Amino acid sequence: MNQFAALRGRIPLINSWLLAGLFFTIPTHVTPAYIISAFILLLWLIEGRFKEKLSALGQHPVFWIFWGYFLIFPISLLWSDNLDWGLKMSGKGLFFLLFPLYLSVARREHVRLYITAFIAAVTISEMLAYYNWLQLHYLPDLPAGIRNSQETWEIAPFVNHVMYNPILAFGAYLLGHALLFERLSPLKRFAFAGFLVTMTVNMFISGGRAGQIAFLAMMALLILQRFSRRPILAGAVALSLTAGLFMTAYQASDLFKHRVDLAVHEVQNYEQAVNSSVGLRINFTINTWRMIKEYPLLGVGVGDYPAEYRRINTTHSPAWLSTVNPHNQYLLVLATTGLFGLTFLVALLLYPLHAARHARDNLAHIRVALVALFMVIMLSESYLWRSNTSLMYVLFSAALYAYMKRSPVPPNPSSKEIAS
């Protein structure tokens, strides 16, 4: 009996380390994330003290926002005809459903551990991507590396470029933040600077344009945060840095130059570029906006987007391919759940920042960066419905706002942990 009580007493620490393992899965495959989450849930149940835990969660302001966002899609099934598709799409919010579990086990004194686990996984992915790049372009006799896609320009190892580059962009931001705002030993500073350079190069030899734009935004944000008391200088330096990075990448990376030129051409010749990558996104936007104007308040329901889009597309642009996703999170939420759902999406992004505005810690910049990253990338894809990126948003939110929860057994960090 005493041994069981001792085990239950160690569960919060064990679960926190398992949570760090979840952060490690973000740039890789999410299947292990489900398995680890199941173990965390099992231990959470064995630990007991449900009344105290649920009371603490109920008093946490961020908890209600995340669950509210998750619930809007199942609720929209009430006005959806296609329940099978609606249930499938609602299931893409599973990590938001698990947010209370992650929030309950996250420990404030372990935030650096979680970030380290994430950076370690991003670094491993980056190294494997470099191997793929070398093998594809310069050393074809090397054994084939781990690749998510067989596209000749795709070098991301575990996920495709759509998810790889935004994740890499956030990893680069975290390294840059550490360099600018944390006290590091000379060895750590040298290592972090080196990996930031390699991540920057890796970013522009990969093909994810949304992630590349997000990376430039993250670097600009770092400068604005660093010189926040001198806004004119911050703006000038941020603009110079992003312009310099863009021009350097444009001149040095054939793939980046080709992808930029192709995007510009397809935008300029949208109506002639039928079913091109950028052209399709423009057409998705136009047709989805037509849908939104028909159903502005509650949307068509999460189950009926494909059928409604097909109807509109057949009427207005029959030569273009149909879609089940407008590749824009804002439009998807508006089309399926209307202004009702958009209210929850805006609250999901902005309310946690408002709730944490008086927090006395050194995580405020990272909280802003997480939101800024998703505000940018969601313009080109429904990233909160993508497995790896939705996991990233949920886990980092749980870690960054863990300080706000009223834990039934408050942690007792050492003086060294408090100082850090």
Side-chain angles (χ1 to χ4, degrees), residues 193-391:
F195 279 120
L196 179 56
V197 171
T198 60
M199 286 183 182
T200 301
V201 174
N202 200 275
M203 177 65 62
F204 293 105
I205 61 174
S206 303
R209 288 175 291 206
Q212 290 163 351
I213 293 171
F215 171 80
L216 295 175
M218 290 293 96
M219 295 302 102
L221 179 61
L222 271 176
I223 299 302
L224 294 174
Q225 290 174 337
R226 177 62 180 84
F227 299 104
S228 59
R229 296 182 181 180
R230 304 170 70 183
I232 296 177
L233 173 63
V237 175
L239 181 62
S240 299
L241 175 65
T242 53
L245 285 171
F246 178 88
M247 293 307 301
T248 300
Y250 188 82
Q251 296 296 326
S253 172
D254 292 338
L255 176 61
F256 181 71
K257 183 178 186 299
H258 169 71
R259 298 276 285 170
V260 170
D261 290 345
L262 181 63
V264 171
H265 172 76
E266 290 175 357
V267 170
Q268 292 175 339
N269 301 276
Y270 148 65
E271 293 184 349
Q272 289 74 42
V274 176
N275 294 329
S276 63
S277 176
V278 176
L280 273 171
R281 281 167 167 75
I282 296 173
N283 200 54
F284 294 160
T285 298
I286 294 171
N287 283 338
T288 302
W289 190 248
R290 290 184 174 117
M291 189 189 308
I292 292 167
K293 288 192 291 185
E294 290 184 34
Y295 305 93
L297 296 180
L298 296 177
V300 300
V302 70
D304 291 356
Y305 179 87
E308 288 295 325
Y309 186 88
R310 210 160 37 241
R311 174 182 64 83
I312 293 172
N313 191 57
T314 300
T315 302
H316 296 280
S317 51
W320 294 74
L321 294 174
S322 189
T323 188
V324 298
N325 170 23
H327 295 274
N328 182 305
Q329 188 79 51
Y330 307 102
L331 291 178
L332 181 64
V333 171
L334 267 172
T336 55
T337 58
L339 293 172
F340 167 70
L342 183 66
T343 301
F344 279 91
L345 177 58
V346 172
L348 179 76
L349 294 169
L350 300 182
Y351 180 76
L353 293 178
H354 172 75
R357 65 193 184 280
H358 298 309
R360 295 181 179 179
D361 56 31
N362 57 355
L363 300 175
H365 290 158
I366 300 177
R367 294 187 189 102
V368 171
L370 179 67
V371 171
L373 174 79
F374 275 82
M375 289 180 72
V376 171
I377 63 177
M378 289 192 308
L379 290 167
S380 62
E381 180 55 273
S382 303
Y383 276 104
L384 292 181
W385 273 17
R386 289 275 190 165
S387 55
N388 296 70
T389 46
S390 65
L391 178 63

Side-chain angles (χ1 to χ4, degrees), residues 126 175 179 188-200:
E126 173 203 1
L175 285 178
L179 286 167
K188 275 190 176 182
R189 186 167 295 278
F190 177 79
F192 283 19
F195 279 120
L196 179 56
V197 171
T198 60
M199 286 183 182
T200 301

Side-chain angles (χ1 to χ4, degrees), residues 100-155:
L101 176 66
Y102 303 146
L103 185 66
S104 181
V105 304
R107 296 168 70 104
R108 179 180 180 180
E109 67 270 26
H110 284 175
V111 172
R112 296 302 168 194
L113 171 65
Y114 308 145
I115 292 176
T116 300
F118 172 71
I119 292 294
V122 170
T123 302
I124 292 171
S125 297
E126 173 203 1
M127 294 299 103
L128 291 173
Y130 270 119
Y131 178 90
N132 291 336
W133 182 72
L134 287 170
Q135 191 270 336
L136 287 170
H137 298 289
Y138 296 101
L139 300 172
D141 293 332
L142 287 175
I146 301 171
R147 294 175 61 210
N148 179 268
S149 168
Q150 296 308 307
E151 290 278 356
T152 56
W153 51 267
E154 181 75 81
I155 63 172

